[in-house]
């Protein structure tokens, strides 16, 4: 089993070196009370890591069903526009950047069409109400995302790329891969380990 330090180094290795220090970026945040400042800071960090297709807003927001649950919970200060934002802890910024650079961007490139990323992080209080997965689910615990693939793209190529990445990085990064006709779940360092399933 990898130690936490080894996992962080493995994530850094997926990012074009040298991987930026997420804590340095977090300290630059203009306001720790405003969701907009959090999103701008995380966007700057993801850009510095080489993320090409996905934004801080995307990786910090949940699916429509989870949005409804989150809004019922009453965290009004977590709303950005009309979307509930679930800020990613700083210690997960690097794993999320690694997930986006090493997995999500290549799947988007293979598809050749827009991808909607959702459920980058989904806290357990929400997850238990919208998902059948248990407390060890990827979404509350590690860097993972659900990718909704545009049907105008090359779905076969996108799935083939996901399977290639799973085979290449699966053992080292504990990759979780779930596949449906036009959706791909991808996660790294999953609490449940290297595994795959079909929707």
């Amino acid at each position: 089993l990898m130690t936490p330090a080894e996992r962080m180094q493995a994530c850094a290795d997926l990012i074009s070196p040298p991987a930026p220090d997420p804590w340095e970026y977090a300290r630059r945040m203009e306001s720790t009370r405003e969701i907009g400042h959090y999103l701008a800071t995380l966007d700057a960090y993801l850009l510095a890591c080489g993320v090409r297709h996905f934004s801080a807003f995307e990786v910090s927001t949940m699916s429509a069903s989870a949005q409804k649950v989150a809004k019922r919970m009453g965290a009004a200060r977590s709303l950005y526009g009309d979307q509930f934002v679930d800020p990613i802890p700083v210690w997960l910024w690097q794993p999320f950047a690694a997930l986006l650079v090493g997995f999500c961007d290549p799947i988007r490139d293979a598809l050749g069409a827009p991808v909607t990323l959702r459920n980058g992080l989904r806290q357990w209080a929400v997850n238990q109400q919208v998902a059948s997965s248990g407390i060890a689910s990827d979404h509350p615990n590690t860097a993972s995302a659900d990718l909704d693939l545009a049907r105008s793209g090359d779905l076969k190529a996108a799935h083939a790329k996901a399977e290639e990445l799973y085979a290449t990085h699966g053992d080292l990064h504990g990759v979780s891969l779930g596949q449906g006709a036009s959706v791909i779940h991808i996660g790294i360092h999953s609490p449940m380990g290297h595994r795959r399933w079909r929707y």
Side-chain angles (χ1 to χ4, degrees), residues 135-147:
I135 200 165
S137 166
D138 286 358
H139 292 294
N141 289 298
T142 190
S144 65
D146 294 326
L147 305 176

Side-chain angles (χ1 to χ4, degrees), residues 6-199:
E6 288 170 338
R7 287 182 177 180
M8 293 303 284
Q9 185 58 55
C11 288
D13 291 344
L14 281 172
I15 300 167
S16 297
D21 178 0
W23 297 94
E24 178 185 326
Y25 276 77
R27 285 191 291 269
R28 297 179 195 172
M29 203 175 300
E30 293 180 27
S31 169
T32 58
R33 296 178 179 271
E34 300 292 335
I35 290 293
H37 291 295
Y38 153 77
L39 291 172
T41 305
L42 180 54
D43 264 330
Y45 176 75
L46 295 178
L47 185 63
C49 289
V51 176
R52 293 177 289 112
H53 294 299
F54 302 97
S55 70
F57 181 72
E58 287 180 277
V59 297
S60 304
T61 53
M62 300 174 283
S63 64
S65 59
Q67 286 286 327
K68 291 176 183 177
V69 172
K71 288 175 184 176
R72 284 201 308 269
M73 293 170 67
R77 290 181 68 177
S78 294
L79 287 174
Y80 185 75
D82 65 346
Q83 294 288 301
F84 179 86
V85 174
D86 202 355
I88 297 169
V90 178
W91 66 272
L92 274 176
W93 284 17
Q94 189 177 78
F96 265 103
L99 177 75
L100 298 174
V101 169
F103 296 85
C104 298
D105 274 345
I107 291 170
R108 163 64 177 81
D109 290 338
L111 181 70
V115 169
T116 300
L117 186 153
R118 56 186 170 81
N119 297 324
L121 186 71
R122 188 169 61 199
Q123 59 181 272
W124 169 243
V126 175
N127 192 73
Q128 65 179 330
Q129 298 183 58
V130 298
S132 60
S133 51
I135 200 165
S137 166
D138 286 358
H139 292 294
N141 289 298
T142 190
S144 65
D146 294 326
L147 305 176
D148 291 331
L149 311 179
R151 293 180 183 275
S152 58
D154 191 337
L155 295 173
K156 185 175 180 181
H159 282 289
K161 175 56 70 172
E163 289 163 8
E164 174 193 325
L165 294 168
Y166 177 82
T168 303
H169 300 291
D171 288 332
L172 175 62
H173 288 286
V175 176
S176 57
L177 176 63
Q179 293 170 281
S182 60
V183 65
I184 294 173
H185 165 100
I186 192 87
I188 56 175
H189 305 138
S190 169
M192 300 301 289
H194 179 36
R195 72 200 193 287
R196 64 182 302 179
W197 64 91
R198 297 280 180 181
Y199 293 113

